[in-house]
Amino acid sequence: MNKPILEKLAIVLSLVVVVVAMLFWVAQVGDVMETLCLAYGDWCFTEDP
Amino acid sequence: MDLLFIFEWLDTSILADMSKAYGGVFAVVQMVHLVALAMLGGTVLVSDLRLLGVLLSDVSSESVVNNMDRWFSVALIVIALSGVFMSSAVAIKLYYNEMFWAKMIGLFFGAAFVYFIRRPLLRHPHDTINVWSLRLIAISSMIIWFTVAASGRWIGFS
Amino acid sequence: MLNEWLLSFARWLDSFAWSTEIHESFYLYAWIESTHVLTIMVFLGMLFVIDLRMLGLAFVDVPASKISERLDKPMMIGFALMVISGLFLFFAIPVRSTQSIWFRIKVVLLIAAGINAFLFRRKMKQAKGDWDTDRVPPKRMRVGAGLSLALWIGVIMTGRTIAYDWFDCHKELPYFMYWLAGCVDEMAALD
């Protein structure tokens, strides 16, 4: 693969990595928040099953 | 593509027998995994922080990257081999573990990115490479390897 | 006597509500522990690269002092994070940690590694104008680097084995093992 194509691929795929990683980490934090919510429920809403 | 057959094979392989028979063997291999992880982290950080111009900025970028590349590969191979051994001990459980698959996807994507895009690109003189390519490669590299490591630890918690 | 004192100190820490909160929290202990393990990549990662230079295995065309100095700051940031997270982990489970033979060995290795690092830094100051630009540093530096690697690998290994209960106080152990691990109550029962 020539340089210009590699450069473009590098930019696009790097941005994909950044976005996916952000979603992954937010989901982990989201898990924590949900658990804290269930445990100490006063200050947040929980969906009734 | 269902990969369960690979994990079933691993589960009954000699690797699995070894690690199930002696708890100490698994522990030693896991420590090797951790030491190699430290090495991987060091090579990634030194390389990527140099590409961002943050570390060792008076040493040529090409020199820093070349020096770290070899040791990155050594670390990755040791991590992979020790990882396969550890996986065989709990193969079927891992197959059904979401965090394990998140880690594997990150690992394979990360490795493919390094060997098929990053290294071929960085073989060119760095001052001729688009500066945003360099920065984004560095940032995404640090993110992906730390995330792979973190998800690896979280397998143990899930 | 030291064992009794250490156990009293650990029990005192254990009496704090926060100690139990961290230990029993669903996520907090896991996140602190993950931070501690992942920061290995920063702290020991940098250290390994420095040691590679000292062994003449990487960056042989760069002055050794430059590698050592430049990687020092990120390394110490990593070290600070490891110490802070490590202290929290100890605070969360103080009694078991204090009575863990592996934790005790880890502390001894940490002290040894610290002394080695202090001596190393002193020798590095003498490097400039001497062996600094040699591709392979003199033998005493290579021994220091090798020792550094061995000690820190020992720290990682003993850190990992803390989790295993092979030599925990509640197990049937020889008296001297109880003494090494500080199993004060078990020793008293045997006396």
Side-chain angles (χ1 to χ4, degrees):
Chain A
M1 267 188 281
N2 63 41
K3 188 153 75 77
I5 295 179
L6 283 173
E7 282 171 341
K8 289 193 179 68
L9 273 175
I11 291 175
V12 168
L13 291 174
S14 295
L15 287 170
V16 167
V17 163
V18 170
V19 168
V20 170
M22 270 168 44
L23 292 170
F24 175 82
W25 283 97
V26 163
Q28 301 314 308
V29 173
D31 266 354
V32 173
M33 297 307 291
E34 194 189 342
T35 307
L36 288 175
C37 232
L38 293 168
Y40 306 104
D42 304 350
W43 51 275
C44 61
F45 297 116
T46 49
E47 284 172 30
D48 281 308
Chain B
M1 187 171 84
D2 188 7
L3 301 168
L4 181 59
F5 72 97
I6 299 177
F7 289 80
E8 284 169 338
W9 173 79
L10 265 177
D11 197 47
T12 53
S13 69
I14 190 167
L15 295 176
D17 292 340
M18 277 199 283
S19 49
K20 285 173 194 169
Y22 306 104
V25 173
F26 182 90
V28 169
V29 174
Q30 188 168 55
M31 287 166 220
V32 168
H33 198 72
L34 284 174
V35 170
L37 177 69
M39 179 68 86
L40 188 101
T43 56
V44 164
L45 276 175
V46 171
S47 238
D48 292 339
L49 290 176
R50 176 57 187 91
L51 287 176
L52 290 171
V54 167
L55 198 67
L56 285 172
S57 42
D58 57 349
V59 179
S60 85
S61 177
E62 289 85 349
S63 169
V64 173
V65 166
N66 286 338
N67 270 283
M68 293 291 88
D69 273 358
R70 178 164 56 119
W71 290 103
F72 172 88
S73 295
V74 167
L76 194 63
I77 290 168
V78 172
I79 282 179
L81 291 174
S82 54
V84 168
F85 183 90
M86 288 194 293
S87 299
S88 66
V90 283
I92 301 298
K93 207 168 75 162
L94 282 179
Y95 178 79
Y96 292 107
N97 184 306
E98 262 180 26
M99 200 52 82
F100 172 75
W101 286 110
K103 181 179 180 178
M104 288 302 109
I105 290 167
L107 175 64
F108 280 99
F109 185 87
F113 189 80
V114 165
Y115 292 105
F116 293 115
I117 295 178
R118 180 188 169 115
R119 289 207 181 173
L121 182 59
L122 293 183
R123 269 183 217 126
H124 296 93
H126 293 187
D127 53 4
T128 65
I129 299 176
N130 178 314
V131 73
W132 280 104
S133 294
L134 291 178
R135 285 185 191 142
L136 283 168
I137 283 175
I139 292 169
S140 63
S141 162
M142 289 189 286
I143 288 175
I144 210 173
W145 294 113
F146 274 93
T147 305
V148 165
S151 55
R153 184 61 194 95
W154 287 332
I155 292 173
F157 290 128
S158 58
Chain C
M1 197 157 58
L2 180 63
N3 278 332
E4 275 91 349
W5 186 84
L6 285 170
L7 185 58
S8 308
F9 176 66
R11 284 185 172 146
W12 175 71
L13 286 176
D14 201 27
S15 66
F16 284 88
W18 263 102
S19 171
T20 314
E21 298 240 6
I22 298 174
H23 186 191
E24 293 182 358
S25 130
F26 198 69
Y27 279 115
L28 194 54
Y29 188 83
W31 280 70
I32 296 173
E33 207 243 25
S34 301
T35 304
H36 193 69
V37 173
L38 289 182
T39 326
I40 285 176
M41 292 171 82
V42 181
F43 171 61
L44 284 181
M46 292 291 150
L47 188 94
F48 282 172
V49 174
I50 294 174
D51 285 342
L52 282 177
R53 174 60 183 92
M54 294 306 152
L55 292 168
L57 294 172
F59 288 118
V60 292
D61 296 322
V62 179
S65 62
K66 186 180 281 195
I67 297 291
S68 169
E69 280 161 23
R70 299 299 173 71
L71 300 193
D72 191 57
K73 195 149 65 155
M75 187 172 80
M76 294 317 280
I77 291 173
F79 183 67
L81 282 169
M82 297 217 70
V83 168
I84 293 169
S85 54
L87 287 172
F88 271 112
L89 291 174
F90 177 77
F91 177 62
I93 314 182
V95 175
R96 186 175 178 276
S97 301
T98 307
Q99 292 185 318
S100 162
I101 185 83
W102 300 113
F103 180 75
R104 289 173 172 222
I105 296 172
K106 180 175 178 174
V107 170
V108 168
L109 290 174
L110 274 168
I111 293 170
I115 294 171
N116 190 49
F118 174 74
L119 293 171
F120 169 82
R121 276 165 197 269
R122 226 172 45 174
K123 289 205 192 95
M124 278 312 301
K125 286 197 174 80
Q126 299 151 9
K128 291 183 194 172
D130 190 357
W131 53 265
D132 200 22
T133 49
D134 291 355
R135 291 175 74 88
V136 181
K139 189 166 182 193
R140 62 182 189 280
M141 294 309 290
R142 298 202 308 272
V143 166
L147 196 59
S148 161
L149 284 170
L151 287 169
W152 285 109
I153 287 171
V155 168
I156 293 180
M157 288 177 120
T158 48
R160 181 61 190 93
T161 44
I162 292 171
Y164 292 104
D165 69 350
W166 306 321
F167 300 112
D168 271 16
C169 286
H170 63 86
K171 297 275 194 183
E172 283 239 16
L173 301 170
Y175 188 84
F176 89 93
M177 284 296 294
Y178 283 142
W179 175 78
L180 272 179
C183 302
V184 170
D185 297 339
E186 286 76 7
M187 278 196 287
L190 284 178
D191 280 337

